[in-house]
Amino acid sequence: MPEGHTIRRLARDHKRLFGGAPVAASSPQGRFAAGAALLDGQTLTRTDAHGKHLFHGFGDAGRTPARWLHVHLGLYGKFQLGEVPEPAPVGQVRLRLVGAGHYADLRGPIACEVLTPADKAALHARLGADPLRSDADPDAVWQRISRSRTTIGQLLMDQAVIAGVGNVYRAEVLFRHGLDPHRPGRDLDRAQWDAVWTDLVGLLRAGVRAGRIVTTRPEDRDRRSGTPSREDATYVYRRAGMPCRVCGTPVRTEPMATRNLYWCPTCQL
DNA sequence: GCTAAATGTTGAT
DNA sequence: TCAACCTTTAGCT
């Protein structure tokens, strides 16, 4: 499900499955027909991910891509992968990519468009630091947070501040650090922020590896061995009214900036 | 079989 | 602050 880890994983997988050879692009649904025609037959040379934004670079090998496919999955978007021969498209397939051995169907994205390198640069410029990127600058994030009266719960969801953190990672990382989501950013001290950032890097990397979000430590799960169930994978996300895994207090929920916030009022101060 | 909700963002008010 | 959008799934009946 699409927070930053999903996008990074897609970038990696698509590079491996489709990179280096011409790709057939089409829009079975028709809504991306013109864009698909621009990409059809081009070679995928690079992929990139920044926060929840996915990029596929097309052009000549060894050169900077001349065109970039930009995809944002939004809340519902999904890539479905399979092996050739590709079946007849089912449902609303915005984009179908077919390579030598695999195909990918894209459904329900909020953005699917072709960008110039300048367009792409502009998009990067408005995104904040991505814990999964080596060029991320946590100092810049700290500057924003330490001067802000906005709550840390809202700051963590602001893609211009931190790119790639969504509603699940927000709730979970704040729980793991005992931070009340309602605290203004400037109430945090540097050590707290550094710990949160370091944890986000680790959590997102683990998410890329596992292909899912797991934030609980084994000793805090109901079942301590084996692959954690979906229910066991989080401390507070979507656990409203259920006992906190650490102290037993019912987990609280309330809307924060149009999204459902979850937190433990006892553990998070 | 229907309804509501969901890991997100944008644009209008 | 609110509605709109794109699609799937969980939880009802």
Side-chain angles (χ1 to χ4, degrees):
Chain A
M1 320 299 183
E3 293 194 20
H5 68 297
T6 305
I7 310 308
R8 169 57 60 98
R9 192 178 165 96
L10 286 170
R12 185 190 69 187
D13 291 351
H14 289 186
K15 177 78 190 305
R16 178 167 52 81
L17 294 176
F18 301 106
V23 174
S26 61
S27 180
Q29 172 202 54
R31 283 188 51 181
F32 187 56
L38 283 175
L39 305 177
D40 189 38
Q42 303 260 308
T43 296
L44 177 70
T45 57
R46 299 249 318 263
T47 61
D48 197 9
H50 189 161
K52 300 164 191 169
H53 298 258
L54 175 65
F55 304 91
H56 294 74
F58 292 87
D60 297 328
R63 296 205 168 196
T64 302
R67 289 195 179 107
W68 290 90
L69 170 68
H70 168 227
V71 172
H72 193 299
L73 294 177
L75 201 50
Y76 330 109
K78 210 169 243 178
F79 270 105
Q80 180 188 43
L81 290 172
E83 293 182 6
V84 294
E86 66 278 22
V90 176
Q92 298 292 306
V93 178
R94 183 81 56 90
L95 168 67
R96 167 171 278 185
L97 296 174
V98 184
H102 294 79
Y103 72 94
D105 282 349
L106 172 63
R107 293 183 177 83
I110 199 166
C112 176
E113 58 186 351
V114 178
L115 300 182
T116 65
D119 295 333
K120 179 172 183 276
L123 221 163
H124 286 296
R126 73 172 172 80
L127 290 173
D130 179 344
L132 288 172
R133 286 176 71 95
S134 55
D135 62 5
D137 180 6
D139 280 347
V141 185
W142 169 243
Q143 293 306 318
R144 283 286 290 272
I145 288 176
S146 63
R147 292 169 186 175
S148 179
R149 275 168 290 201
T150 305
T151 64
I152 187 64
Q154 291 187 67
L155 287 165
L156 283 177
M157 292 284 281
D158 185 344
Q159 300 299 300
V161 178
I162 305 183
V165 172
N167 207 19
V168 182
Y169 282 122
R170 157 175 81 170
E172 295 297 304
V173 80
L174 289 174
F175 177 87
R176 286 168 58 97
H177 293 266
L179 291 169
D180 183 338
H182 302 90
R183 282 175 61 175
R186 63 183 187 184
D187 272 18
L188 272 65
D189 62 38
R190 182 67 199 245
Q192 285 173 319
W193 165 246
D194 286 345
V196 167
W197 174 264
T198 302
D199 203 23
L200 282 172
V201 171
L203 287 172
L204 281 154
R205 281 183 185 164
V208 174
R209 225 175 299 124
R212 59 192 289 238
I213 300 176
V214 176
T215 60
T216 47
R217 299 175 182 89
E219 63 268 29
D220 294 328
R221 294 175 193 147
D222 293 336
R223 284 182 324 167
R224 299 188 182 186
S225 61
T227 307
S229 65
R230 198 167 113 159
E231 164 55 29
D232 256 352
T234 55
Y235 282 103
V236 288
Y237 177 72
R238 290 250 254 174
R239 295 192 71 243
M242 299 169 72
C244 171
R245 296 187 182 284
V246 173
C247 77
T249 304
V251 172
R252 289 190 58 185
T253 185
E254 77 182 16
M256 177 185 268
T258 77
R259 309 300 301 282
N260 294 323
L261 172 70
Y262 303 88
W263 82 103
C264 170
T266 300
C267 292
Q268 298 178 251
L269 300 170

